[in-house]
Amino acid sequence: MVRIERDGLVREYEAEKIRIEAWGANGLRLRATTLAEIDETRDWALLPRNGEKAKITIDGENAVISNGDITAKIGNGGRISFSNRKGETILEERWRNRDVAGTTYNATNVPGREFRPMGGNRFK
């Protein structure tokens, strides 16, 4: 489910595909879709990629990608968190469902990511 693809980290699960790649000197770009492939024909990024190479490690279902001062970790059934050079969490998905072990959940059963159709092949 987690693999290295074209210098990026890709996770596929059920109808979801996530790609995280190095972007800028200390940045990561994350894209997610429910389509079969991420649309590479449109580049919606505000900054150019500049050809950075990320450091990627995969251990079973857990994966880590680092670029400069930022690191993203995919673990616990797809939950993504970002940390700085000191290892401090700076951003983390909030999952509120019962499927992901070791996470805080409540009765609303809300996943960390939700894709709402906007017509055609666009999602919000």
Side-chain angles (χ1 to χ4, degrees), residues 26-76:
N26 294 294
L28 293 170
R29 181 183 191 191
L30 185 146
R31 292 181 284 172
T33 187
T34 58
L35 301 174
E37 294 296 326
I38 293 175
D39 185 1
E40 300 288 348
T41 62
R42 296 181 186 151
D43 192 359
W44 300 105
L46 297 175
L47 300 172
R49 179 169 182 203
N50 295 336
E52 293 81 5
K53 299 282 186 190
K55 179 181 174 190
I56 302 172
T57 57
I58 299 174
D59 181 16
E61 286 298 307
N62 296 310
V64 176
I65 180 169
S66 297
N67 182 39
D69 292 339
I70 191 165
T71 298
K73 178 184 176 188
I74 301 176
N76 279 346

Side-chain angles (χ1 to χ4, degrees), residues 76-93:
N76 279 346
R79 186 177 188 176
I80 301 172
S81 62
F82 294 87
S83 57
N84 61 19
R85 179 173 284 209
K86 297 176 188 175
E88 301 166 330
T89 301
I90 53 176
L91 183 66
E92 179 177 52
E93 287 183 311

Side-chain angles (χ1 to χ4, degrees), residues 79 94-111:
R79 186 177 188 176
R94 182 173 180 193
W95 288 68
R96 295 176 289 167
N97 63 11
R98 298 180 179 146
D99 308 25
V100 183
T103 62
T104 304
Y105 61 84
N106 62 28
T108 60
N109 201 29
V110 176

